[in-house]
Amino acid sequence: MVKKAWKIIPRPLLETILNNHAQHHRVPQPLFLHGPRGVGKTTLILERLFDDWNKNPHLTGYVDFAESIKDHHPKHGSSFPWYTWSNCEQRPALSDLTSQLETCLESMARKGLNLGIISSHQIFTTMNKWHSLNTSLRRILQKNRTSAGNNKMIVPDKISAAALWDRAVFALSAEIDDEMLEFKEEGKALSVEEASYYKEGFVALKLAKEVIKMQQTWRSNAIRNLNETGGFSRSLVHSCTDWPCLLLELLSQAAEIGYFQPKLVINNIEVLKHAVLTDDATVSPSMYHDSLIWRIIALGANERCLPVILLTSNSYYSYQAYMDFGFPDIFVSRETFGWSVQEAKMHMVPDYFSNSEWAIITEVLGPNPRHLFELYALKQSNYYQEIMAEKASTFEDIVDAYLAFLQITVVNPAMDRALTLVQKFAIDAQSGKILKDKLRFGAPWRHPPQTDDPDTCLEWAKLQLADFVQSYVNTEFGVNYLGDCSLEIFDDPSANALLEVGLLYAQRDPSLIRPVSRGIQRCLVRWLVQEQMLMSPKNLLEFKWQRAFRGRSYRHLMLQLGYK
């Protein structure tokens, strides 16, 4: 058997759409590239577009918030998980993610300083528009005089912010040696005026960061109280994103066609929302996430922003995020589902699979690119050679082994996590934390246990989850959540649990809730059959009673023939 190297296959239409968006130096809206897991979104950006987006005059910053999750990232020799990042045991600290974003933006800003397109005056003007600078600059000057041992220099009481800024830049310039800066170019001698201009810009950027950091320390007690009480303050939340948003605004103002065209790609944006808060230096991760996106939206709408492309496999960003942030068209939406069966066959047969093997794959797994890659890797392994050496073995045995791998390592752990989410819903409902509107008359989940006993609630959760999967099978795995304009399925705790763990994906157009792949769909059915086999006679009777009298039925939301 010839081992053919896996190749990255172009996607001309999607590449053209993304290139058209990225070629603009400023745009009014950020772009979300979203779709189910395993369809090749990250591969498309990194392998097909990223190099071209970093050729002069273009500059692209790339931030992957999942890089710090070592057990599930290719950078550390692992592979991306099939379930959502929030389901991973290792969750990154918010401080690490913010530092990662700020470091990327700072390096892009330094490139703008090197090109002379970002100046000290521009930094001051942008800072002065959003911040009161007088007190901060006076304290920085006082600190500088104390450290230098020069207490004779007194700053007048009546002095403009611009004059204070110039004094602070001059004071900090004396502390920085020219060799510490990055504006020197090989083979190019700079005049004294040019060197002074570049140095002033670098020092002004450092001063801006110091001012924002100082003002943030003044709010530390208020932020700590906000985190303890669980309250909300728009000004405090936005203050935590001041530095990255200031850099974004500076870069957007500096963007110029044919000379400096920066853009930002943020991968796995949902990781930011589910990070861990390790200290009270900033607000909660969800607030930080919402503030960052909201300010990017505001910058684009008010003044135009550099192209920001957000990548995610979380279906929250396919529809619900648009409603949470304002209206259905607040972002540019680009949804991808990978290949169709015909497209995948054209690329895979006969280079990687034979026609007979392909017929089995499309029936069992579908054309999901990650399934195809993992199955091909298994086919090249020694395990495949050993299995095929047996006379009675066929390619179907390899597919069954791969399905068993998905069942054990992906679906079963995700379903266990979904059970805990439905169990939590039962406990919250018993304690009165769930709105009565979500427990309306006729809802199958309207009667949770009247106790907060975890075991009882877990049994109820298993019953609810099995009932939902059974009703989902009856709809042939295609539920149109906008079918009757009620969004009733999003009140179902079982549907929300499976969406949250990432086994289901709520796509935008057409508006269907479906498994992320046909392989995951088969594993869901296997889970249902296994649960029914393991039920005690009492639990089996309760399940049949639930299906007969309180069972879910989403057949009225099935995909209609001819729907587009």
Side-chain angles (χ1 to χ4, degrees):
M1 180 180 58
V2 178
K3 293 187 177 182
K4 185 177 178 65
W6 191 264
K7 60 183 178 181
I8 306 300
I9 298 170
R11 296 184 183 180
L13 179 59
L14 187 56
E15 290 177 21
T16 301
I17 291 172
L18 294 175
N19 274 322
N20 287 342
H21 182 81
Q23 293 306 313
H24 292 85
H25 66 302
R26 284 191 290 268
V27 294
Q29 295 171 287
L31 182 146
F32 266 103
L33 177 61
H34 54 99
R37 293 186 177 277
V39 298
K41 299 181 293 296
T42 301
T43 302
L44 175 70
I45 294 292
L46 294 183
E47 302 293 338
R48 294 289 304 166
L49 301 174
F50 192 70
D51 289 341
D52 290 338
W53 288 356
N54 274 292
K55 294 178 181 177
N56 284 332
H58 299 280
L59 173 68
T60 301
Y62 178 77
V63 179
D64 187 352
F65 284 137
E67 273 188 8
S68 54
I69 305 179
K70 297 181 180 179
D71 294 339
H72 297 284
H73 199 278
K75 183 179 179 181
H76 305 286
S78 304
S79 59
F80 289 124
W82 277 101
Y83 42 74
T84 57
W85 292 105
S86 60
N87 204 36
C88 298
E89 294 182 2
Q90 181 189 4
R91 293 164 61 189
L94 178 60
S95 57
D96 294 339
L97 301 185
T98 57
S99 175
Q100 187 180 353
L101 175 63
E102 290 169 3
T103 301
C104 176
L105 290 172
E106 286 171 11
S107 66
M108 295 172 67
R110 285 194 291 271
K111 178 65 174 177
L113 289 166
N114 276 326
L115 293 173
I117 202 167
I118 297 178
S119 65
S120 173
H121 179 264
Q122 180 188 349
I123 296 172
F124 166 73
T125 304
T126 307
M127 283 283 293
N128 198 41
K129 183 170 61 174
W130 301 109
H131 302 273
S132 178
L133 301 178
N134 290 42
T135 304
S136 304
L137 293 174
R138 287 178 182 276
R139 293 199 177 185
I140 290 173
L141 286 170
Q142 179 64 35
K143 179 182 176 182
N144 182 267
R145 290 199 308 270
T146 304
S147 61
N150 182 13
N151 295 320
K152 295 181 180 181
M153 184 185 298
I154 299 175
V155 179
D157 293 334
K158 294 183 179 180
I159 187 172
S160 65
L164 280 172
W165 179 267
D166 291 338
R167 288 194 179 203
V169 169
F170 179 77
L172 289 181
S173 298
E175 299 178 357
I176 301 177
D177 190 8
D178 289 354
E179 295 183 357
M180 297 173 61
L181 303 178
E182 304 173 10
F183 58 79
K184 289 189 176 181
E185 299 184 21
E186 294 183 5
K188 182 180 178 180
L190 296 177
S191 66
V192 175
E193 291 80 5
E194 287 177 323
S196 177
Y197 177 84
Y198 285 126
K199 182 176 182 179
E200 185 180 356
F202 278 95
V203 173
L205 189 67
K206 179 182 177 182
L207 175 61
K209 185 175 184 179
E210 193 168 336
V211 168
I212 290 178
K213 185 177 179 181
M214 177 177 288
Q215 292 184 354
Q216 191 67 5
T217 59
W218 298 344
R219 303 184 183 99
S220 58
N221 289 334
I223 292 175
R224 183 182 301 108
N225 180 69
L226 192 72
N227 291 333
E228 291 174 354
T229 60
F232 176 77
S233 168
R234 185 186 299 272
S235 59
L236 286 178
V237 172
H238 283 348
S239 71
C240 296
T241 56
D242 277 342
W243 180 235
C245 290
L246 173 71
L247 294 171
L248 275 174
E249 187 167 355
L250 288 172
L251 289 166
S252 300
Q253 293 171 356
E256 184 178 326
I257 295 178
Y259 186 66
F260 181 59
Q261 293 183 236
K263 50 193 69 51
L264 178 65
V265 178
I266 300 180
N267 196 3
N268 299 306
I269 182 66
E270 69 272 22
V271 176
L272 182 63
K273 190 174 185 177
H274 299 286
V276 177
L277 185 64
T278 56
D279 53 43
D280 289 321
T282 186
V283 293
S284 67
S286 60
M287 288 185 183
Y288 187 97
H289 163 275
D290 293 348
S291 173
L292 179 65
I293 293 180
W294 184 252
R295 295 184 73 175
I296 292 174
I297 294 171
L299 178 60
N302 296 329
E303 301 180 20
R304 300 298 174 97
C305 177
L306 60 85
V308 177
I309 299 175
L310 306 167
L311 275 65
T312 179
S313 298
N314 193 317
S315 60
Y316 166 77
Y317 300 91
S318 66
Y319 176 79
Q320 189 59 43
Y322 292 74
M323 306 308 296
D324 288 349
F325 283 96
F327 58 95
D329 296 319
I330 198 165
F331 308 113
V332 179
S333 171
R334 291 295 176 262
E335 194 168 34
T336 176
F337 303 107
W339 295 319
S340 65
V341 174
Q342 293 78 9
E343 289 173 334
K345 182 177 181 180
M346 180 176 63
H347 297 308
M348 296 290 108
V349 179
D351 291 343
Y352 300 100
F353 303 102
S354 65
N355 279 298
S356 59
E357 292 172 344
W358 182 250
I360 297 172
I361 291 171
T362 54
E363 177 67 25
V364 178
L365 298 175
N368 185 286
R370 192 190 297 183
H371 279 324
L372 299 178
F373 172 75
E374 291 177 347
L375 188 63
Y376 182 69
L378 183 61
K379 184 180 177 182
Q380 301 299 317
S381 67
N382 293 329
Y383 174 79
Y384 177 79
Q385 306 300 329
E386 295 173 2
I387 292 294
M388 297 306 292
E390 300 179 9
K391 294 181 180 180
S393 297
T394 62
F395 182 74
E396 293 183 7
D397 297 322
I398 297 298
V399 176
D400 281 339
Y402 179 65
L403 271 179
F405 165 78
L406 288 177
Q407 188 77 45
I408 295 172
T409 63
V410 177
V411 175
N412 286 350
M415 293 301 286
D416 291 340
R417 168 66 176 161
L419 281 173
T420 62
L421 294 175
V422 181
Q423 179 188 25
K424 182 179 182 299
F425 175 88
I427 295 174
D428 290 345
Q430 195 276 333
S431 60
K433 296 180 180 179
I434 303 298
L435 297 176
K436 291 184 179 180
D437 188 54
K438 293 185 179 294
L439 299 172
R440 63 173 63 93
F441 179 80
W445 55 91
R446 185 171 184 248
H447 301 283
Q450 298 301 312
T451 175
D452 57 359
D453 178 58
D455 294 334
T456 304
C457 291
L458 183 62
E459 290 298 323
W460 182 83
K462 286 183 179 180
L463 186 67
Q464 293 296 316
L465 211 53
D467 179 38
F468 174 81
V469 175
Q470 181 64 67
S471 69
Y472 197 50
V473 172
N474 294 343
T475 63
E476 301 175 5
F477 297 95
V479 174
N480 181 5
Y481 60 84
L482 292 180
D484 62 352
C485 300
S486 69
L487 300 176
E488 62 172 280
I489 195 170
F490 291 118
D491 288 337
D492 191 334
S494 299
N496 288 328
L498 290 179
L499 285 169
E500 186 170 338
V501 300
L503 295 182
L504 299 184
Y505 181 81
Q507 64 188 51
R508 182 179 176 90
D509 186 25
S511 53
L512 300 179
I513 295 179
R514 66 175 193 176
V516 295
S517 71
R518 193 172 297 173
I520 298 297
Q521 173 181 312
R522 283 186 171 267
C523 290
L524 281 172
V525 176
R526 288 186 174 193
W527 177 88
L528 177 62
V529 173
Q530 182 182 7
E531 284 298 312
Q532 290 179 340
M533 292 175 62
L534 295 175
M535 285 180 180
S536 64
K538 175 178 176 293
N539 291 340
L540 186 60
L541 181 62
E542 289 178 349
F543 174 70
K544 291 183 177 180
W545 188 91
Q546 170 81 15
R547 289 296 305 153
F549 296 99
R550 290 182 182 169
R552 294 163 172 82
S553 178
Y554 291 122
R555 289 184 63 83
H556 63 293
L557 298 179
M558 288 178 65
L559 175 64
Q560 299 298 318
L561 189 63
Y563 175 84
K564 293 183 180 179

